[in-house]
Amino acid sequence: MDNNGSQKKDFDVITVGAGMAGLYMLHKLRAQGFSAIGLEAGDDVGGTWYWNRYPGARCDIESLDYSYSFDPELEKVWQWSERYATQPEILRYLQFVADRYDLRRDIRFSSKVERADWDDSTSKWRITTANGDSLTCQYYVMATGCLSLPKEPDVKGVERFTGQTYFTNRWPHEGVDFTDMRVAVIGTGSSGIQSIPLIAEQASQLTVFQRTANYAAPANNGPVRPEHREKLNADREAYREEGRWSRAGVPLPRSEEPYSSVNLEERQRRLEAGFAQGDLLTINSSFSDLVTNAAANESVQDFFRDKVRAKVTDPKTAEDLCAKDFPLFTKRLCLETNYFKTFNLPHTKLVNLRRTPIASITETGIDTTDESMEFDAIVFATGFDAMTGAIVAVDIRGRDGISLKDVWEEGPKTYLGLNVHGFPNFFTITGPGSPSVLSNMVVSIEQHVNWLTAAFEHLRKEGFQTIEATSAAQDGWITHVNDFANLTLYPVANSWYMGANVPGKPRVFLPYIGGVDTYRQACNEVVEQDYLGFEQCGTSGSRCNEGVIRFVKPDVQMVLDAIAGLEQPPLDTLSPIQAREQIEANTANRAPGPEVGEVLDGSLPGPAGSLNYRLYRPATAGPHPIVVYYHGGGWVLGHASSDDPFCRYLCTQANALVISVNYRHAPETRFPAAVEDAFEALNWIGNNAESLGGAPNKLSVAGWSAGGNLATVMCQLALKQGGPNINGQLLVCPVTDCDFSTASYNENAEGYILTRNLMEWFWNQYCKAEDRKDPRASPLRAESLVDLPPAMVVTAELDPLRDEGNAYAAALQNAGVIVEHIQAPGQIHTSLTAVDMVTSANDVRQAMSDAVRAFAK
Ligand code: N01
């Protein structure tokens, strides 16, 4: 039955937009027996490729990859003529797809959606269009694209110009002839960079107004690369599957090597090869850290700038065309064909708006602060209100009439970029919080459509009418999206990824940067866990597996993955000597931590022989407060320098003399040897504070894990024995008790490096069962904690020791001790001290060093 123009008013699904996403959605829905209609503002299919008809418009992902994969037959009958197809060819492709699957009969064109209202009593959406149509549906899907709502031209005097005005993203269908015209182009993003060389071919004069220079690689366009076609043809499904499980939706090898680990010659070779390849992804994939390491990024920026200087003859123009204001890749890289060379043409001029901003557009041209210029036409290549603009352009009202625009006032909130809490049965294809614009859009579109249509099928089968993200699941996802973005340089740039191009738009990183592969895995796991974090409701009841799909911080997860990749035996299956060897080998190549003024190794007299220590002195003038530090390692592993990066961190950040002291280890010497050594060392350091360069009476203790246990035991002993005077205690994931029955021991028994088994192994090595309740082993069991020094207790959410650390913080507080307590979400036992490796713990670490500073005051 034809839905287009029919009187039918109620559908299973209404999908908005007839671009790549909308077309595939309709095709899938029909195949699965859902009644569906597409509403499209334009008068034909094509979406972005319908509107963006400016000269030079092409895709920037190779056409073989930038095409549907859902039908192998389609892939055979459609052959791309070029590596990067032009807009007309891509539009023809989408028209071909619409015809081939007879999709037009289910699309109403020239139907701009204005409102969407959820009706709780019927569990349906009511969709209202500008031409007065009012339709209802169970599921409402916005397939409106990420770059579809043009940004308002925010240039003074824009309405005064009496010549011709064009917008790249709303280009006249009949084309524009610029012959003999004086043309201005404002904007040098992808649209400007693609259109400028072609406009220059016609115009008598071309003036480009550039506010921010962009990085661009050569497109090196031409026929489809034979080796590319061969690779696809050899095994289409394997090729497509590789794309689906890749970082950016294109099958491409990714280097695991950081930039600094590669020698100069090899770096240059890879950069040149990537540049010659002519694509967006190869250079970035040639090293592991170009978007996370500022120094590496800066170095590759130089490479790009040198390429511009080599192409542009006038040195001043060349310099102006060199991107300098943001890290490479943090705005979308542009692909150029003759863009830079266009500025060598005598009738082309570049105006650097940073030097001479536009004062106003006038009736006849553009005035900068420096000169008045006359034009016949002005082309605005000024971009889009990206990712959220087209969605909130519709007045979408969820439960109780809440407005999506209001909910998103401080930035979009979504679960998986698919659904929003408070808006049941409402979905966005490639919405904010999904890889979308950071990926090959077609791969991401297909993934979303497949996920959604499978979800609709599931709900139908299970008899549910509605599905809606829970607030907790959504909050968890937003945190995860931000955590990932914060590991990168992206938030630094004033890009449309950050919403920074639209005045007044909240500054939030919009897409998900964890990768298409990682994202797909998360979406799959949500389904496998019975739609984790979604509430599913029907007339006969509701079901919700409440939870957060990604709660481990992304960089912590990377560490876990790297360790899992080593496939080493668990420490608790080894002898103590083997365990020590394994740990030493694993940490041999770790990042060293920050530079300090001086590192000194020495020894001090212990109760049973001398004890080594390592002293870290700040570069600032002393004397410094002293922190006596006790290393971690379950009383079995480690030594005075085994927490080197963290000690360096504390030294520089807290401006303190950190002295990491060794103590005798188990099983060779068992409890209470470590306690006796630790106390003797503390006393010796207290007595020798001045000769060590420390400030008298400014002594605090710190320790991680078993070292945290010793640190607080020191405070208890010092109080009992009348000295030394300790100003404060920093306890990082401390062992405070021998009880294995806590919730955290059960929840985090496995999978986060410190396991329950390993902790049992440590206790068994360290302490006889009958000694374990001694407060010198289990300080939580001390009779009183009154009068202990101020404490900072830091625990990690995903640590078996979390609850005993939390209990200790609470017990200190109850005893009247000044306590600062942080439970770090998404962190594990070993990540808080993993300086440089786990940057998501930077805030917590900063709080630790602030606390240590405060102890000394
Ligand atoms: O838009 P943009 P776009 N005064 O926002 C300037 C995709 N795309 O349409 O950077 C003066 O990138 C603005 O300057 P600044 C692709 O994902 C793909 O070019 O804000 N200048 C900037 O130079 C791309 O990233 C293809 O300082 C003003 C430019 O206008 C995305 O679409 C092709 C200004 C806007 O650049 C957007 O690209 C085209 C003002 N008031 C687009 N306001 C393919 O190849 C803005 N600008 C597939």
Side-chain angles (χ1 to χ4, degrees):
M1 150 106 165
D2 187 344
N3 287 324
N4 179 4
S6 81
Q7 292 310 301
K8 187 170 162 60
K9 296 226 176 282
D10 183 51
F11 300 89
D12 292 331
V13 187
I14 291 182
T15 163
V16 184
M20 268 204 175
L23 290 179
Y24 179 45
M25 190 77 200
L26 282 178
H27 173 65
K28 262 304 251 191
L29 289 168
R30 195 189 281 168
Q32 289 181 212
F34 290 100
S35 68
I37 189 161
L39 302 175
E40 165 59 54
D43 60 13
D44 197 4
V45 300
T48 209
W49 302 105
Y50 170 92
W51 298 105
N52 289 266
R53 298 172 185 242
Y54 60 86
R58 291 172 186 276
C59 54
D60 57 4
I61 296 286
E62 292 183 62
S63 293
L64 283 196
D65 296 311
Y66 190 76
S67 30
Y68 291 120
S69 71
F70 66 84
D71 179 357
E73 288 308 310
L74 170 65
E75 296 193 58
K76 283 182 205 147
V77 292
W78 184 270
Q79 294 296 322
W80 294 104
S81 69
E82 285 182 281
R83 191 175 170 204
Y84 297 106
T86 60
Q87 171 272 328
E89 188 173 350
I90 303 172
L91 184 58
R92 277 201 303 281
Y93 170 72
L94 294 173
Q95 290 165 339
F96 176 80
V97 168
D99 292 340
R100 181 181 163 89
Y101 303 101
D102 189 19
L103 299 174
R104 282 197 172 86
R105 69 178 158 96
D106 289 335
I107 303 171
R108 284 186 200 171
F109 294 103
S110 307
S111 285
K112 190 171 187 318
V113 174
E114 285 196 326
R115 278 192 73 93
D117 296 271
W118 173 253
D119 181 346
D120 231 3
S121 64
T122 58
S123 291
K124 288 197 183 232
W125 283 94
R126 176 165 295 283
I127 312 293
T128 316
T129 69
N131 30 8
D133 275 347
S134 179
L135 310 170
T136 54
C137 58
Q138 187 182 356
Y139 301 114
Y140 161 43
V141 179
M142 287 291 270
T144 38
C146 298
L147 295 154
S148 43
L149 186 75
K151 184 186 106 142
E152 293 292 326
D154 50 345
V155 186
K156 197 173 149 206
V158 68
E159 68 297 337
R160 287 167 65 193
F161 187 61
T162 54
Q164 295 168 25
T165 302
Y166 300 103
F167 294 85
T168 48
N169 41 37
R170 288 292 180 271
W171 204 256
H173 287 202
E174 61 283 7
V176 181
D177 183 359
F178 289 112
T179 306
D180 293 334
M181 288 171 81
R182 297 163 302 170
V183 182
V185 177
I186 301 177
T188 51
S190 301
S191 304
I193 284 178
Q194 283 185 334
S195 58
I196 283 163
L198 286 133
I199 295 174
E201 282 178 14
Q202 293 183 337
S204 59
Q205 248 182 53
L206 173 66
T207 308
V208 175
F209 292 83
Q210 172 195 277
R211 190 163 64 186
T212 310
N214 248 315
Y215 300 98
N220 292 342
N221 198 17
V224 171
R225 292 181 295 126
E227 70 276 17
H228 194 182
R229 203 191 289 280
E230 273 159 32
K231 192 173 173 208
L232 174 67
N233 287 344
D235 186 344
R236 276 172 188 273
E237 193 38 40
Y239 182 90
R240 294 300 185 199
E241 199 56 11
E242 201 183 327
R244 290 177 196 128
W245 289 99
S246 66
R247 180 47 57 99
V250 176
L252 200 66
R254 269 186 67 225
S255 170
E256 296 297 328
E257 292 174 309
Y259 188 73
S260 62
S261 72
V262 175
N263 71 35
L264 272 176
E265 205 176 84
E266 174 60 12
R267 276 182 205 170
Q268 198 63 19
R269 192 200 63 72
R270 289 189 199 179
L271 293 177
E272 290 293 355
F275 213 66
Q277 176 72 14
D279 68 19
L280 295 182
L281 303 170
T282 302
I283 288 190
N284 199 354
S285 307
S286 302
F287 305 94
S288 64
D289 60 344
L290 293 189
V291 295
T292 52
N293 180 330
N297 190 289
E298 177 76 35
S299 176
V300 185
Q301 290 173 34
D302 286 337
F303 174 85
F304 273 77
R305 288 188 278 264
D306 285 344
K307 293 289 181 190
V308 177
R309 291 174 189 125
K311 280 184 184 159
V312 180
T313 0
D314 174 44
K316 185 161 167 265
T317 308
E319 230 28 59
D320 283 347
L321 286 167
C322 285
K324 290 172 189 153
D325 299 325
F326 57 96
L328 178 67
F329 303 121
T330 58
K331 284 185 175 186
R332 191 177 177 96
L333 183 63
C334 302
L335 286 189
E336 60 99 11
T337 303
N338 292 330
Y339 173 68
F340 293 112
K341 286 188 176 158
T342 297
F343 293 92
N344 295 336
L345 299 173
H347 70 297
T348 304
K349 169 175 162 179
L350 182 73
V351 175
N352 182 340
L353 296 179
R354 297 285 162 128
R355 260 200 310 276
T356 55
I358 294 176
S360 179
I361 294 183
T362 65
E363 283 75 11
T364 54
I366 298 177
D367 286 356
T368 66
T369 50
D370 190 44
E371 60 182 318
S372 277
M373 285 164 271
E374 305 242 305
F375 297 108
D376 303 305
I378 301 178
V379 174
F380 289 90
T382 41
F384 301 86
D385 182 349
M387 300 211 64
T388 54
I391 298 171
V392 296
V394 176
D395 188 1
I396 301 172
R397 304 279 169 161
R399 264 188 218 290
D400 306 321
I402 48 163
S403 137
L404 185 68
K405 197 170 181 176
D406 290 347
V407 172
W408 283 11
E409 199 179 0
E410 287 165 11
K413 297 180 169 62
T414 72
Y415 183 32
L416 302 168
L418 278 164
N419 173 247
V420 183
H421 174 65
F423 296 79
N425 291 6
F426 163 66
F427 301 97
T428 50
I429 306 263
T430 63
S434 74
S436 61
V437 292
L438 295 175
S439 69
N440 175 356
M441 286 298 285
V442 194
V443 168
S444 289
I445 285 169
E446 287 190 335
Q447 189 243 339
H448 266 188
V449 170
N450 292 343
W451 193 94
L452 275 181
T453 48
F456 298 164
E457 185 99 53
H458 158 85
L459 295 163
R460 180 165 65 185
K461 196 168 127 247
E462 299 285 316
F464 292 124
Q465 271 80 52
T466 66
I467 183 166
E468 179 190 345
T470 66
S471 166
Q474 177 170 290
D475 288 350
W477 185 252
I478 295 167
T479 302
H480 179 62
V481 170
N482 289 327
D483 285 343
F484 245 124
N486 290 336
L487 296 180
T488 73
L489 302 168
Y490 278 82
V492 174
N494 289 323
S495 64
W496 58 258
Y497 295 140
M498 292 295 299
N501 64 327
V502 175
K505 194 166 170 174
R507 199 186 163 89
V508 173
F509 190 70
L510 298 169
Y512 173 72
I513 202 172
V516 161
D517 47 355
T518 313
Y519 176 76
R520 183 182 294 271
Q521 183 64 33
C523 291
N524 289 356
E525 285 176 28
V526 164
V527 175
E528 284 156 18
Q529 295 174 48
D530 191 17
Y531 289 86
L532 179 75
F534 280 105
E535 173 134 43
Q536 310 168 69
C537 297
T539 42
S540 54
S542 65
R543 200 160 84 199
C544 179
N545 183 15
E546 178 64 293
V548 169
I549 187 67
R550 289 288 178 262
F551 44 83
V552 182
K553 294 287 174 194
D555 49 357
V556 173
Q557 188 61 53
M558 288 174 210
V559 171
L560 291 174
D561 292 345
I563 288 180
L566 297 175
E567 295 184 2
Q568 290 177 325
L571 290 176
D572 51 275
T573 61
L574 303 177
S575 71
I577 290 172
Q578 289 168 328
R580 286 173 194 149
E581 282 168 2
Q582 185 161 301
I583 288 289
E584 285 300 309
N586 289 354
T587 52
N589 295 321
R590 72 183 161 180
E595 279 284 316
V596 298
E598 185 188 23
V599 176
L600 257 182
D601 287 328
S603 62
L604 54 87
S610 66
L611 298 169
N612 295 334
Y613 67 81
R614 178 167 278 193
L615 180 152
Y616 303 84
R617 194 186 310 283
T620 53
H624 298 99
I626 297 181
V627 179
V628 179
Y629 181 85
Y630 300 101
H631 65 262
W635 307 284
V636 176
L637 314 171
H639 43 76
S641 60
S642 57
D643 292 350
D644 203 60
F646 185 58
C647 289
R648 286 168 176 272
Y649 178 88
L650 279 182
C651 170
T652 54
Q653 295 299 305
N655 195 34
L657 193 72
V658 175
I659 305 176
S660 171
V661 292
N662 204 9
Y663 45 86
R664 279 170 293 161
H665 289 134
E668 290 83 353
T669 40
R670 307 182 78 196
F671 175 83
V675 176
E676 288 164 0
D677 287 2
F679 196 57
E680 189 91 359
L682 178 73
N683 275 307
W684 185 86
I685 291 168
N687 293 334
N688 292 278
E690 280 180 66
S691 61
L692 290 164
N697 299 323
K698 293 201 169 176
L699 186 68
S700 60
V701 292
W704 165 56
S705 190
N709 167 284
L710 291 174
T712 198
V713 167
M714 292 308 100
C715 295
Q716 296 187 6
L717 285 183
L719 192 66
K720 249 191 205 153
Q721 301 192 13
N725 184 35
I726 299 174
N727 300 137
Q729 45 178 331
L730 168 65
L731 313 178
V732 186
C733 305
V735 185
T736 70
D737 198 26
C738 54
D739 176 12
F740 289 89
S741 69
T742 57
S744 58
Y745 258 113
N746 288 319
E747 289 163 22
N748 307 315
E750 274 179 40
Y752 304 118
I753 297 177
L754 179 66
T755 61
R756 181 197 177 95
N757 285 351
L758 180 57
M759 207 52 223
E760 282 179 354
W761 186 83
F762 282 143
W763 271 109
N764 290 341
Q765 308 290 337
Y766 180 51
C767 198
K768 287 191 237 148
E770 59 269 31
D771 289 340
R772 290 188 193 170
K773 291 183 182 161
D774 185 321
R776 291 173 303 160
S778 292
L780 184 61
R781 295 182 190 240
E783 254 170 44
S784 163
L785 302 179
V786 173
D787 288 339
L788 283 183
M792 169 150 215
V793 182
V794 186
T795 56
E797 184 193 4
L798 307 171
D799 180 0
L801 305 185
R802 178 195 68 204
D803 290 352
E804 63 195 71
N806 291 350
Y808 195 66
L812 285 170
Q813 222 149 19
N814 289 340
V817 175
I818 300 167
V819 181
E820 198 182 337
H821 174 207
I822 297 178
Q823 179 178 297
Q827 299 290 340
I828 61 173
H829 186 73
T830 51
S831 58
L832 297 175
T833 51
V835 179
D836 287 349
M837 257 200 312
V838 177
T839 54
S840 62
N842 280 353
D843 288 354
V844 179
R845 250 172 243 136
Q846 186 62 50
M848 294 189 216
S849 60
D850 290 347
V852 170
R853 268 179 194 266
F855 294 155
K857 281 190 180 147

